[in-house]
Amino acid sequence: MEPTRLDDIDAQRAGRPAVHPYPPGGWAVVDVETTGLGRTDRIVSVGVYRLDPLGEVLDHWYTPVNPERDPGPVWIHGLTSEHLEGAPTFPEIAEPLAERLSGRVLVAHNALFDWSMISREYARMGGRAPVEQRLCTIVLARDLRLPLANHRLGTLAGHFGVIPRQAHHALDDARVLAEVFRPSLRMAVEAGLPLPFQPCVAPALVDHLADDADAAPSNRGGVLSTAVRTGGWSPYRPARRRPACPYPNPGRWAPEQPLVQGMRVAISGDTATDRELLEDRLTEAGLHVASSVSSRTSLLVTNEPGGWTTKARRAREVGTPVVDEAAFLHLLQAVVPQQRQG
């Protein structure tokens, strides 16, 4: 998506030349409520506020969605099976939702979560969500160095004087976020701060991970719905403890060299291969799944090396080698063995 520039009026209002990029199609501020946080969970409601490139509200839209399964944490989103019985299914709302997303940057609070849930719903239909870029308001708030105790949506709303009317209702959460996003956008413009756009890579659905209402607990991870909005947690699945890597860390990976068992490998951002499957392959090869990046990390796998994730930024700071997903899958085919510790 090619950026456009501030118009002359807005540039004069900002008191400086029109040099800050805006997406020409504008923004789609989105919130989804779901049956849980896992890969097999479903959307139960969607709220969208469409904004023009400068952040002015154009319109808003909301729909409940029948997940055709238990609605999950009703005590959070308030949508019971009775409420959702006559609601449209996702395939029935896919087209009007696509019309509101197409050509716009998706904005959400912990945008990876909302994007991944929407993307998987379209993937179940054999399609793809019409979103090329997203922007996470948690990342933007951190970049702005706002004086916040935490990055929950309610905390951010309080900072900007925005009053929530119905927490965990998709339309009201989207409204609150739209009202928070506009001054945040203006602050970024005035500070000359690059906007943290992130490209969207649709996650693949494989046969044994296809949606199966009987295979997933209906309220799995539901109590974490507030936590997931604060960032720092992967939305693809509940946390899973992996066995300790039995091999010592041989150090950093060097370009043109093979991977060696025991290397600490971190993954960041969207991957076409399901994240859990990718980590399973990594573990089976004798590599260590690193949850963060430090000077001891051997390699970072990301499809966006210049991206805005914490891991990508840290890798640039400490000089951790970086490869994309395709190169990493190639390296996984020939991992050099190493003697176990102990």
Side-chain angles (χ1 to χ4, degrees):
M1 180 181 294
E2 290 297 322
T4 187
R5 302 291 179 183
L6 282 168
D7 59 23
D8 292 339
I9 294 175
D10 196 62
Q12 293 170 6
R13 192 184 305 155
R16 60 180 183 77
V19 296
H20 202 283
Y22 274 72
W27 316 88
V29 180
V30 175
D31 183 75
V32 299
E33 297 300 321
T34 65
T35 63
L37 306 176
R39 296 165 299 159
T40 59
D41 280 301
R42 306 299 298 269
I43 289 174
V44 295
S45 64
V46 186
V48 182
Y49 268 72
R50 289 197 295 186
L51 313 183
D52 72 10
L54 302 182
E56 300 290 346
V57 174
L58 299 174
D59 58 26
H60 57 76
W61 176 80
Y62 167 80
T63 183
V65 181
N66 186 344
E68 300 181 289
R69 54 166 288 182
D70 189 294
V74 172
W75 60 93
I76 292 177
H77 54 60
L79 295 169
T80 65
S81 296
E82 289 72 24
H83 285 126
L84 297 171
E85 184 176 357
T89 62
F90 191 86
E92 292 173 315
I93 64 101
E95 185 174 345
L97 177 58
E99 291 173 359
R100 288 160 175 82
L101 299 178
S102 182
R104 298 176 180 274
V105 174
L106 184 149
V107 177
H109 206 59
N110 194 353
L112 179 56
F113 174 75
D114 295 80
W115 153 250
S116 65
M117 296 304 294
I118 291 171
S119 179
R120 289 186 185 281
E121 290 284 9
Y122 278 99
R124 290 183 183 102
M125 298 168 51
R128 187 187 189 282
V131 179
E132 301 300 327
Q133 288 183 310
R134 64 176 183 266
L135 184 149
C136 181
T137 48
I138 292 175
V139 176
L140 182 58
R142 288 173 178 167
D143 286 351
L144 289 170
R145 300 185 183 278
L146 299 178
L148 305 174
N150 55 59
H151 291 94
R152 294 188 179 94
L153 180 56
T155 304
L156 197 56
H159 177 79
F160 287 107
V162 179
I163 300 175
R165 298 178 190 137
Q166 192 174 353
H168 299 297
H169 185 284
L171 185 61
D172 196 56
D173 279 356
R175 175 192 64 83
V176 169
L177 189 57
E179 292 187 28
V180 161
F181 176 61
R182 191 177 190 283
S184 300
L185 180 62
R186 182 64 59 187
M187 290 174 67
V189 170
E190 292 174 351
L193 186 72
L195 297 175
F197 295 118
Q198 192 73 16
C200 292
V201 179
L205 285 179
V206 296
D207 290 343
H208 72 281
L209 293 178
D211 183 60
D212 180 354
D214 295 328
S218 62
N219 63 348
R220 181 189 47 198
V223 294
L224 297 178
S225 289
T226 299
V228 77
R229 293 286 195 253
T230 70
W233 185 84
S234 171
Y236 289 109
R237 65 197 183 283
R240 172 174 143 189
R241 184 179 297 277
R242 293 181 177 275
C245 182
Y247 305 102
N249 183 2
R252 286 184 170 177
W253 171 79
E256 308 302 327
Q257 297 297 313
L259 294 170
V260 179
Q261 287 181 330
M263 283 186 168
R264 299 175 63 90
V265 179
I267 305 171
S268 180
D270 296 0
T271 54
T273 308
D274 184 89
R275 178 67 70 86
E276 188 166 351
L277 288 179
L278 194 57
E279 291 184 355
D280 284 345
R281 292 189 60 184
L282 194 153
T283 301
E284 290 164 3
L287 301 168
H288 177 97
V289 178
S291 59
S292 61
V293 172
S294 71
S295 58
R296 297 183 65 244
T297 305
S298 307
L299 181 67
L300 174 67
V301 179
T302 177
N303 289 316
E304 182 67 13
W308 295 84
T309 65
T310 300
K311 291 176 186 175
R313 295 183 187 194
R314 182 61 177 159
R316 292 194 290 271
E317 290 174 2
V318 300
T320 300
V322 177
V323 299
D324 64 19
E325 181 183 357
F328 180 65
L329 291 173
H330 180 74
L331 288 168
L332 269 181
Q333 297 176 15
V335 177
V336 174
Q338 188 183 179
Q339 282 220 288
R340 291 174 179 262
Q341 292 178 318

